């Protein structure tokens, strides 16, 4: 059993992520938005007023890439940049009123995509799977942090 998991786990996980992204892209296009723009809107909704640089870091995105996405979202009237009161080099991001109806539709779309993905899986199994995926994510985060710590230790003794 372990050999089968070893052979298929990473491939299946990667393929699953690719399929979810492809499906979400197609569904989001209904509303004239990309999955990447949707992700930015969702983050800004959760953390209104966050620095644009913090958002880029959280989304593991190059700042210039995020800037282009935010530019488009600003042009659409869904997000606005406001200067920081203490540091004029900093932009903070806020949702505009026009984004709220779109986000409501996108939340429904997220539920629809989740229901499609979890079809035939009991709520208890889905909950257990989510808990296990969170544990896997934490294991990998810890491994990355350990690597970074070891690298710093080598560099700075």
């Amino acid at each position: 059993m372990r050999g089968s998991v070893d052979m298929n786990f990473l491939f299946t996980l990667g393929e699953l992520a690719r399929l979810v992204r492809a499906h979400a892209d197609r569904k989001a296009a209904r509303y004239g938005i990309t999955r990447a723009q949707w992700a930015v809107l969702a983050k800004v909704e959760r953390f209104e007023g966050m620095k644009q640089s913090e958002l880029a870091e959280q989304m593991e995105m190059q700042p210039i890439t995020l800037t282009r996405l935010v530019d488009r979202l600003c042009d659409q009237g869904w997000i606005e940049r406001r200067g920081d009161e203490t540091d004029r080099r900093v932009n903070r991001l806020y949702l505009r009123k026009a984004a709220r109806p779109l986000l409501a539709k996108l939340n429904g779309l997220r539920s629809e995509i989740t229901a499609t993905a979890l079809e035939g899986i009991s709520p208890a199994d889905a909950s257990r799977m989510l808990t296990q995926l969170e544990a896997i994510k934490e294991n990998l985060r810890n491994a990355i942090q350990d690597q970074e710590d070891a690298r710093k230790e080598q560099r700075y003794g």
Side-chain angles (χ1 to χ4, degrees):
M1 176 63 182
R2 190 60 148 164
S4 175
V5 170
D6 184 47
M7 292 280 295
N8 294 301
F9 176 75
L10 294 177
F11 175 77
T12 301
L13 203 55
E15 183 69 2
L16 172 62
R18 187 191 66 74
L19 289 169
V20 167
R21 287 191 305 271
H23 188 59
D25 275 331
R26 287 189 189 100
K27 293 288 191 176
R30 273 193 254 181
Y31 300 109
I33 191 167
T34 66
R35 181 182 39 84
Q37 291 170 329
W38 178 5
V40 170
L41 276 176
K43 274 285 193 200
V44 172
E45 180 183 34
R46 263 182 256 134
F47 303 105
E48 265 198 279
M50 88 179 324
K51 294 177 185 177
Q52 192 168 315
S53 59
E54 291 171 340
L55 181 59
E57 191 175 306
Q58 270 192 20
M59 296 187 75
E60 296 179 350
M61 198 177 276
Q62 291 298 318
I64 188 67
T65 304
L66 179 65
T67 297
R68 288 186 195 118
L69 282 170
V70 170
D71 287 345
R72 282 190 217 107
L73 293 169
C74 287
D75 291 346
Q76 295 284 348
W78 293 327
I79 283 184
E80 68 179 314
R81 289 181 178 103
R82 295 184 201 159
D84 185 90
E85 294 174 9
T86 59
D87 185 347
R88 64 181 192 200
R89 298 169 297 174
V90 171
N91 281 315
R92 294 191 176 272
L93 301 172
Y94 295 87
L95 284 182
R96 301 203 54 193
K97 206 178 279 185
R100 303 246 179 239
L102 174 63
L103 280 162
K105 290 175 187 172
L106 293 172
N107 285 337
L109 186 57
R110 184 198 64 236
S111 294
E112 182 185 317
I113 293 168
T114 300
T116 298
L118 295 177
E119 192 171 323
I121 298 172
S122 75
D125 284 345
S127 180
R128 199 169 18 264
M129 180 174 39
L130 182 58
T131 299
Q132 291 167 337
L133 288 169
E134 290 290 344
I136 291 166
K137 190 167 75 172
E138 190 61 26
N139 290 342
L140 292 171
R141 272 200 182 115
N142 289 338
I144 289 168
Q145 188 60 53
D146 290 348
Q147 286 174 330
E148 288 174 7
D149 291 348
R151 220 179 355 254
K152 284 178 187 172
E153 179 123 350
Q154 272 184 336
R155 202 174 304 144
Y156 302 113

